[in-house]
Amino acid sequence: QVQLVESGGGLVQAGGSLRLSCAASGRTFRDYRMGWFRQFPGKEREFVISISRSGGSTDYVDSVKGRFTISRDNAKNTVYLQMRSLKPEDTAVYYCNYIKPGTWRTTEDFPSWGQGTQVTVSS
């Protein structure tokens, strides 16, 4: 049973920081690149940032460059998202998932999603 449990979201003022956590189970965690995704109201879920199996490389969208950092702890089957300098446009529900082998941001092999965690940035 694949399970993804996101936590750490909340309400923060613009310029503030949050750290999200994602606890994963049901697959061999260290065998997969992991990613964070977000969904804005009325929009499709979209890719934000990902990290390689051993944490040696990352991939991210331009809008979070210099602000978001992804990390992982393979001993704890957990991936993190450190967000700083948050902007109102970062307001969304954030999700984690496994990344399809051979890609940096595709989840098509992994249809199961967690409940996500809400991040709200006020101005």
Side-chain angles (χ1 to χ4, degrees), residues 51-68:
I51 187 168
S52 62
R53 291 171 294 171
S54 296
S57 67
T58 61
D59 181 42
Y60 48 83
V61 295
D62 289 343
S63 62
V64 306
K65 182 180 179 180
R67 301 190 299 119
F68 289 15

Side-chain angles (χ1 to χ4, degrees), residues 103-115:
T103 76
W104 283 13
R105 54 179 72 183
T106 299
T107 65
E108 65 182 33
D109 287 353
F110 310 107
S112 182
W113 296 85
Q115 82 287 348

Side-chain angles (χ1 to χ4, degrees), residues 68-116:
F68 289 15
T69 302
I70 187 171
S71 61
R72 66 191 295 162
D73 186 339
N74 286 344
K76 296 181 178 180
N77 289 356
T78 301
V79 62
Y80 305 94
L81 180 62
Q82 178 66 54
M83 304 182 291
R84 66 180 184 85
S85 300
L86 282 163
K87 304 174 180 180
E89 51 262 47
D90 294 317
T91 295
V93 179
Y94 284 72
Y95 302 85
C96 64
N97 209 345
Y98 302 90
I99 300 295
K100 180 182 179 180
T103 76
W104 283 13
R105 54 179 72 183
T106 299
T107 65
E108 65 182 33
D109 287 353
F110 310 107
S112 182
W113 296 85
Q115 82 287 348

Side-chain angles (χ1 to χ4, degrees), residues 20-42:
L20 309 184
S21 297
C22 169
S25 62
R27 291 190 170 90
T28 305
F29 183 79
R30 61 173 50 86
D31 286 351
Y32 296 92
R33 189 178 190 91
M34 297 296 296
W36 284 96
F37 303 78
R38 64 188 177 185
Q39 186 172 28
F40 303 116

